[in-house]
C-alpha cells in the first residue's frame, strides 16, 4: 500500500496540472524529482524518513519533445517528509543532487534557475574534408525527362540500399541543386540524398525557344528574345513556371525516380513547394523540414481560388509572353543579372559575410547567361499564385499528421523570425530551431549546424522517438533550450547559438497522464 503522503502529493500536483498553472523549468524538475521516489510504508504517528530514489523511465512519442521519463539515467533526490495532523510538508536536507549538480540548502531556487539559464556549449562534427583524409560522399548528376522537352537536372549521393532513408532537397528561387553541395557530400554518408532544379531554373532551363517567329523582314526584329515570339511551340502549350507546376514536378520525380517515400527539405521557395507537395501527397512523405520557407509566392490571383479577381488581374505567365511587358521585363532583368546586384543580394541574405559565396555567385551568373533565362524569369513573375496557400498547406499537413521540423536563420532580412514563429504557433508539436547568426540560407551558411540538426531529427523519426531530438537529449523535457553550438571549419573554431522550442503541451500531457496513472494505482491499493 502506498503511503498517504504520496497520495496527497499526487493530488496536489494533479490540481496544478488541471489548473495548468504556468511553471518554469525548475518547477517541472522539482515535480519530477518529488514523484521519482519510493515511500516504504505509511505510519499513523508523525514520522520522518529519508528517501533516495533511483528509477529509470522510458517512453517517448514520435517526433515529440523527450520527457523526463526518456532520459534513461539515474537521478538522486533526498529530502525529509514530515506528516502531522493530516498535513504534509517537504523539508530539504543538507543538499539536493539534481541536473545542476549539488544544490546547497542555503542556495535559493532563484539562484539555481539563474545558473541553469547559463548557455551550455556543445561541439559538433565539421564537414568532411577530402583534402585532410576526410571521406565525403561522392556526388553524381543526372537528367530526367519528365515530358517532351522538360528535362530535369538533379544530383544525388549516398546509398539506396539497406533501407537508408531518402532525403530530397528543393532549392530557393534563382539557384539550383548546386546550393546543396554541402548536404550532398555530408549527409550522403548516412542517407540517400537528392537535390533537383525546378523547371525553368538552374540547369532545368529549356534548350529551345518555347515560341517561334513568323516569317518577317529581318529588320523588324533586331534582337528576338526567347518567349516573345508570335506562336507557342506545341511542347510549351499552357506552360507556365508556377508553384503548381513545381509541386507536380516534385511528385512525379519521387514516384518515377526515387520510387519511395522521402524526407523533403526546402529553403525559401523550396520550403513552400515542399509543404505544398506534402499537403497534396502525404503518402509520399516521411517528414518535412522548412529552412526559412517563404510563406507566399506569386503576385496574381489564382483563377481556381479567386476566379472573379483573376478576371480583373489576369496572369500572363504562359507563352508567348505579352509584348507589352517586354520593355519593363528587360529593364528589371538587366538590373537583376548585373554581377554587382548578385553580390549585393548575397551580402544581404548571408549574415556572416566571411562565408565564401564565390561558387554560388559564379553558378547564379552562369544561369543568367542562358538564352532561356529571361523568358523563364518573366513567366515566373507573371505566374498566378498557387491553388493552395501556405497556411492551407500547413493545416492539411497537420490533419494528415505529417511530421514537420522548422529551422530558421534568425538574421534573415526577407523571411524574418516572426514568420517561422507563426508556423510554430500553428504547429505547436513541431520542433523549431532558430540559428544565430544565420541568414536566409542557413544550410549553406552554417551547413555543419543544419546537417547536425537534420541528421538528428531524421534519426529521431526513424527510431520512433528512441533517439532523442538534437540539443534536448539532456534537458529533462524542457520546452525551450538554448545552446552555443561549436564546430571547426578551415582549422578555426566557430560558434552559433541555437534556440530550440519544443512542445509545451506535450510536457503537460505527459505529466497529466503519469499522475493519473499513479492516482489510479493509489486508489486501487487503498480499496
Amino acid at each position: 500500500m502506498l503511503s498517504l503522503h504520496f497520495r496527497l502529493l499526487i493530488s496536489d500536483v494533479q490540481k496544478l496540472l488541471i489548473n495548468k498553472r504556468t511553471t518554469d523549468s525548475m518547477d517541472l524538475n522539482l515535480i519530477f524529482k518529488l514523484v521519482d521516489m519510493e515511500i516504504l510504508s505509511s505510519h499513523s504517528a508523525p514520522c520522518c524518513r529519508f528517501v533516495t530514489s533511483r528509477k529509470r523511465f522510458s517512453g517517448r512519442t514520435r517526433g515529440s519533445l523527450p520527457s523526463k521519463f526518456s532520459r534513461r539515467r539515474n537521478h538522486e533526490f533526498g529530502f525529509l517528509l514530515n506528516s502531522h495532523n493530516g498535513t504534509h510538508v517537504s523539508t530539504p536536507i543538507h543538499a539536493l543532487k539534481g541536473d545542476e549538480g549539488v544544490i546547497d540548502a542555503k542556495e535559493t531556487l532563484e539562484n539555481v534557475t539563474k545558473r541553469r539559464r547559463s548557455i551550455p556549449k556543445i561541439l559538433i562534427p565539421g564537414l568532411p574534408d577530402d583534402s585532410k583524409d576526410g571521406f565525403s560522399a561522392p556526388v553524381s548528376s543526372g537528367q530526367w525527362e519528365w515530358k517532351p522537352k522538360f528535362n530535369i537536372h538533379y544530383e544525388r549521393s549516398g546509398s539506396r540500399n539497406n533501407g537508408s532513408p531518402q532525403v530530397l532537397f528543393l532549392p530557393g528561387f534563382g539557384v539550383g541543386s548546386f546550393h546543396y553541395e554541402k548536404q550532398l557530400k555530408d549527409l550522403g554518408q548516412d542517407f540517400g540524398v537528392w537535390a533537383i532544379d525546378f523547371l525553368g531554373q538552374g540547369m532545368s532551363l529549356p534548350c529551345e525557344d518555347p515560341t517561334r517567329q513568323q516569317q518577317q523582314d529581318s529588320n523588324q526584329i533586331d534582337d528576338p528574345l526567347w518567349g516573345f515570339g508570335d506562336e507557342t511551340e506545341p511542347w510549351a502549350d499552357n506552360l507556365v513556371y508556377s508553384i503548381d507546376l513545381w509541386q507536380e514536378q516534385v511528385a512525379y520525380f519521387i514516384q518515377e525516380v526515387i520510387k519511395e517515400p522521402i524526407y523533403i527539405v526546402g529553403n525559401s521557395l523550396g520550403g513552400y513547394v515542399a509543404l505544398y507537395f506534402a499537403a497534396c501527397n502525404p503518402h509520399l512523405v516521411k517528414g518535412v523540414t522548412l529552412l526559412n520557407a517563404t510563406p507566399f509566392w506569386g503576385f496574381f490571383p489564382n483563377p481556381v481560388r479567386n476566379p472573379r479577381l483573376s478576371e480583373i488581374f489576369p496572369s500572363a505567365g504562359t507563352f508567348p509572353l505579352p509584348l507589352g511587358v517586354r520593355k519593363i521585363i528587360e529593364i528589371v532583368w538587366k538590373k537583376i543579372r548585373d554581377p554587382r546586384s548578385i553580390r549585393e543580394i548575397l551580402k544581404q541574405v548571408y549574415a556572416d559575410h566571411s562565408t565564401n559565396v564565390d561558387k554560388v555567385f559564379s553558378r547564379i551568373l552562369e544561369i543568367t547567361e542562358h538564352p532561356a533565362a529571361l523568358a523563364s524569369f518573366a513567366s515566373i513573375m507573371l505566374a498566378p499564385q498557387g491553388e493552395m496557400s501556405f497556411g492551407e498547406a500547413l493545416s492539411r499537413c497537420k490533419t494528415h499528421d505529417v511530421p514537420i521540423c522548422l529551422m530558421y536563420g534568425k538574421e534573415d532580412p526577407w523571411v524574418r523570425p516572426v514568420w517561422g514563429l507563426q508556423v510554430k504557433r500553428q504547429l505547436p508539436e513541431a520542433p523549431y530551431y532558430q540559428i544565430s547568426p544565420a541568414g536566409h540560407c542557413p544550410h549553406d551558411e552554417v551547413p555543419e549546424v543544419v546537417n547536425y540538426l537534420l541528421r538528428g531529427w531524421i534519426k529521431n523519426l526513424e527510431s520512433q522517438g528512441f533517439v532523442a531530438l538534437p540539443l534536448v537529449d539532456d534537458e529533462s523535457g524542457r520546452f525551450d533550450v538554448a545552446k552555443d553550438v561549436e564546430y571547426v571549419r578551415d582549422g578555426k573554431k566557430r560558434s552559433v547559438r541555437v534556440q530550440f522550442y519544443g512542445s509545451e503541451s506535450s510536457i503537460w500531457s505527459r505529466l497529466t497522464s503519469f499522475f493519473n496513472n499513479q492516482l489510479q494505482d493509489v486508489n486501487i491499493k487503498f480499496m
Side-chain angles (χ1 to χ4, degrees), residues 143-424:
Q143 288 281 339
W144 166 62
E145 187 178 55
W146 176 21
K147 300 176 182 179
K149 309 294 184 180
F150 286 13
N151 294 314
I152 309 301
H153 174 83
Y154 68 90
E155 298 184 3
R156 59 165 299 190
S157 67
S159 174
R160 299 186 65 178
N161 301 324
N162 302 322
S164 298
Q166 303 299 300
V167 186
L168 174 62
F169 287 88
L170 305 182
F173 174 63
V175 291
S177 54
F178 64 85
H179 212 202
Y180 289 112
E181 179 183 3
K182 298 167 185 174
Q183 282 67 45
L184 288 159
K185 290 185 175 181
D186 184 15
L187 296 177
Q189 299 176 95
D190 298 311
F191 314 121
V193 182
W194 308 73
I196 65 172
D197 292 7
F198 290 135
L199 198 63
Q201 300 189 55
M203 296 181 68
S204 294
L205 289 164
C207 297
E208 299 179 14
D209 188 346
T211 62
R212 59 175 176 264
Q213 303 282 348
Q214 293 180 350
Q215 295 294 330
Q216 301 182 32
D217 184 355
S218 58
N219 294 329
Q220 294 181 1
I221 306 176
D222 297 329
D223 183 22
L225 293 174
W226 283 24
F228 288 92
D230 300 311
E231 298 177 359
T232 305
E233 294 285 359
W235 63 268
D237 191 36
N238 295 322
L239 172 63
V240 55
Y241 294 122
S242 67
I243 197 167
D244 290 300
L245 175 72
W246 298 323
Q247 184 277 136
E248 185 183 5
Q249 169 193 338
V250 171
Y252 275 96
F253 183 80
I254 292 171
Q255 294 177 79
E256 297 183 11
V257 181
I258 303 180
K259 298 181 180 179
E260 64 177 276
I262 49 87
Y263 291 95
I264 191 165
V265 185
N267 170 236
S268 189
L269 166 63
Y272 191 160
V273 177
L275 192 72
Y276 191 174
F277 159 77
C280 296
N281 307 274
H283 61 290
L284 296 176
V285 181
K286 300 174 74 174
V288 180
T289 300
L290 303 182
L291 303 171
N292 290 71
T294 179
F296 36 76
W297 190 259
F299 299 106
F300 294 90
N302 186 282
V304 176
R305 294 179 59 203
N306 301 290
R308 293 184 178 179
L309 198 59
S310 65
E311 290 179 1
I312 302 175
F313 302 100
S315 64
T318 54
F319 297 99
L321 296 164
L323 292 175
V325 301
R326 173 171 171 166
K327 284 295 182 184
I328 188 170
I329 287 293
E330 284 186 285
I331 294 172
V332 173
W333 180 245
K334 183 178 180 180
K335 175 65 176 177
I336 289 178
R337 66 172 297 186
D338 188 301
R340 292 170 296 181
S341 298
I342 297 174
R343 285 283 187 191
E344 183 60 31
I345 291 173
L346 291 175
K347 186 178 180 180
Q348 289 179 22
V349 298
Y350 283 77
D352 182 3
H353 295 163
S354 68
T355 305
N356 188 344
V357 296
D358 290 343
K359 186 177 290 187
V360 175
F361 169 79
S362 61
R363 295 298 296 272
I364 294 175
L365 192 61
E366 180 183 348
I367 294 170
T368 63
E369 294 171 352
H370 194 285
L374 187 150
S376 298
F377 171 76
S379 177
I380 292 171
M381 292 297 100
L382 299 173
Q385 299 170 350
E387 292 186 14
M388 186 183 301
S389 70
F390 188 86
E392 291 168 343
L394 277 176
S395 299
R396 187 172 296 187
C397 285
K398 184 177 181 180
T399 300
H400 291 292
D401 294 324
V402 176
I404 295 178
C405 183
L406 311 171
M407 300 182 194
Y408 281 66
K410 184 179 180 181
E411 283 71 33
D412 186 348
W414 297 345
V415 183
R416 295 184 177 275
V418 63
W419 294 107
L421 292 174
Q422 284 185 6
V423 176
K424 172 63 178 173

Side-chain angles (χ1 to χ4, degrees), residues 94-105 107 112 115:
H94 300 295
L96 306 180
K97 185 177 180 183
D99 293 336
E100 292 75 29
V102 177
I103 304 172
D104 188 84
E107 189 172 15
V112 174
R115 185 156 57 126

Side-chain angles (χ1 to χ4, degrees), residues 445-496:
E445 189 171 2
V446 283
E448 298 88 351
V449 178
V450 170
N451 292 0
Y452 171 79
L453 297 176
L454 187 58
R455 182 182 274 114
W457 182 66
I458 292 175
K459 289 182 177 180
N460 171 265
L461 292 180
E462 288 292 306
S463 68
Q464 297 185 354
F466 182 78
V467 176
L469 286 168
L471 302 189
V472 294
D473 55 350
D474 61 348
E475 289 296 332
S476 307
R478 291 181 60 192
F479 167 69
D480 62 318
V481 177
K483 289 190 178 182
D484 287 334
V485 180
E486 297 181 341
Y487 54 92
V488 176
R489 183 193 299 173
D490 299 329
K492 297 180 181 179
K493 182 177 286 188
R494 296 169 176 256
S495 176
V496 297

